[in-house]
């Protein structure tokens, strides 16, 4: 795991955007795994800036989002389809036909999930998966005790996650209980994983994921088994890492050839 501790979310997001931009420039047909929620918003803003000012070209790319609320369609203001449209897709040139987000209105969830997995495989697999992390350690919507080998499927949100996400809805009661999410096994097959975490509310989950045991009780801890993971943190989310001085030293003293 590479732990990148920066002063603030904007700097961390610029670092993550630099990695994605380098990937897209090297591989114009890159397959991107994308996340929603508050965390990736500054990353998407930076990618939009790079598209507008530096000609970052998404026209050959494909995307797969991690998750969607069951029962919410594109017209619902809190749906992840709508979120992605507003925060990224409407401002870059990623072709609509190659954008994939689980369909919250599907009538056959198991068949839809199997087809989602199939289309990830047919695209050649995800080159870089962007992740946030829940305050309970979830990635995608793989809540604690999710199988570490799970594939795309329906999950039930914990009450904690429903409260954490209530600010996207009119009231907490409106937050759906069910979601469709890529599984942990699906996420682990991405060739690179970029996990962003900001704020004090994430400090326990981050410390557990990086320095705790690998356990389904903190699903992000499975990333310790992934060969190419970068964690982009701010001071607050990194505050409970016992070895944070070491991670800082490693990042500041990276050989030039190792920089993206
Ligand atoms: C979103 C997702 C979730 C969020 C997590 C953190 O697609 O899969 O795992 O990344 O709930 O959410 P925020 O960023 O709103 O704190």
């Amino acid at each position: 795991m590479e732990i990148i501790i920066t002063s603030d979310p904007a700097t961390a997001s610029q670092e993550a955007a630099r990695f994605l931009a380098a990937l897209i420039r090297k591989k114009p047909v890159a397959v991107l795994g994308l996340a929603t929620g508050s965390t990736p918003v500054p990353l998407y803003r930076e990618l939009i800036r790079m598209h507008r000012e530096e000609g970052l070209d998404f026209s050959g790319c494909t995307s797969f989002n991690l998750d969607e609320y069951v029962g919410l369609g594109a017209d619902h203001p809190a749906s992840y389809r709508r979120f992605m449209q507003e925060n990224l897709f409407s401002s870059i040139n990623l072709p609509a036909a190659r954008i994939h987000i689980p369909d919250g209105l599907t009538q056959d969830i198991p068949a839809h999930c199997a087809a989602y997995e199939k289309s990830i495989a047919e695209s050649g697999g995800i080159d870089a998966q962007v992740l946030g992390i829940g305050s309970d350690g979830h990635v995608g919507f793989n809540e604690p005790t999710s199988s570490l080998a799970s594939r795309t499927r329906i999950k039930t949100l914990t009450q904690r996650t429903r409260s954490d996400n209530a600010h996207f809805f009119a009231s907490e009661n409106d937050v759906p209980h069910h979601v469709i999410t890529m599984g942990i096994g699906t996420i682990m097959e991405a060739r690179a994983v970029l996990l962003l975490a900001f704020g004090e509310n994430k400090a326990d989950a981050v410390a557990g994921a990086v320095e705790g045991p690998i356990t389904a009780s903190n699903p992000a801890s499975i990333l310790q088994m992934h060969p190419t993971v970068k964690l982009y943190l701010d001071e607050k989310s990194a505050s409970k890492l016992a070895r944070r001085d070491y991670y800082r030293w490693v990042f500041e003293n990276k050989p030039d050839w190792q920089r993206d």
Side-chain angles (χ1 to χ4, degrees):
M1 283 180 151
E2 184 178 5
I3 317 294
I4 301 160
I5 303 172
T6 63
S7 52
D8 54 78
T11 311
S13 303
Q14 282 159 15
E15 276 291 324
R18 252 178 12 88
F19 178 90
L20 290 175
L23 166 70
I24 294 166
R25 292 203 168 100
K26 197 162 142 205
K27 184 176 181 184
V29 296
V31 180
L32 307 175
L34 300 175
T36 54
S38 310
T39 306
V41 171
L43 165 67
Y44 295 156
R45 227 178 274 139
E46 177 64 6
L47 289 175
I48 292 167
R49 189 199 65 74
M50 288 171 144
H51 170 65
R52 289 189 178 146
E53 295 175 14
E54 296 169 13
L56 184 63
D57 181 10
F58 294 85
S59 64
C61 295
T62 296
S63 73
F64 288 91
N65 261 79
L66 285 165
D67 38 25
E68 180 60 283
Y69 292 105
V70 170
L72 304 197
D75 55 345
H76 192 288
S79 76
Y80 284 164
R81 162 86 50 188
R82 175 92 163 254
F83 173 97
M84 289 307 299
Q85 198 54 35
E86 287 176 356
N87 286 285
L88 184 65
F89 297 148
S90 59
S91 304
I92 60 171
N93 64 338
L94 183 60
R98 289 206 298 276
I99 289 171
H100 304 84
I101 302 180
D103 178 3
L105 298 179
T106 181
Q107 293 304 301
D108 186 342
I109 290 177
H112 181 66
C113 293
Y116 203 70
E117 287 280 335
K118 190 160 175 261
S119 60
I120 294 174
E122 285 171 355
S123 74
I126 293 171
D127 289 299
Q129 176 66 56
V130 175
L131 295 177
I133 184 170
S135 60
D136 59 5
H138 70 237
V139 285
F141 273 135
N142 297 284
E143 295 283 29
T145 71
S146 289
S147 160
L148 298 178
S150 50
R151 312 301 308 188
T152 303
R153 70 211 182 294
I154 189 169
K155 281 297 290 180
T156 307
L157 295 180
T158 60
Q159 194 44 46
R160 181 172 179 178
T161 299
R162 291 183 67 243
S163 310
D164 283 350
N165 288 5
H167 63 103
F168 286 108
F169 292 81
S171 84
E172 193 168 319
N173 283 340
D174 295 332
V175 182
H177 285 268
H178 291 111
V179 291
I180 295 174
T181 180
M182 276 187 207
I184 298 176
T186 323
I187 292 168
M188 287 293 284
E189 283 173 8
R191 285 183 272 277
V193 175
L194 284 67
L195 188 150
L196 288 76
F198 308 132
E200 221 169 309
N201 191 34
K202 304 294 173 70
D204 284 318
V206 166
V210 176
E211 296 176 340
I214 296 174
T215 168
S217 296
N218 181 334
S221 64
I222 190 63
L223 296 174
Q224 294 175 30
M225 295 292 288
H226 193 291
T228 313
V229 176
K230 287 168 176 279
L231 264 79
Y232 298 91
L233 309 175
D234 65 353
E235 295 287 350
K236 290 178 180 162
S237 64
S239 61
K240 295 197 174 163
L241 288 168
R243 296 180 177 81
R244 57 186 184 282
D245 291 342
Y246 169 67
Y247 308 136
R248 269 200 198 95
W249 197 93
V250 171
F251 184 67
E252 281 160 15
N253 293 282
K254 259 169 94 161
D256 281 347
W257 61 264
Q258 259 193 342
R259 297 194 178 270
D260 317 309

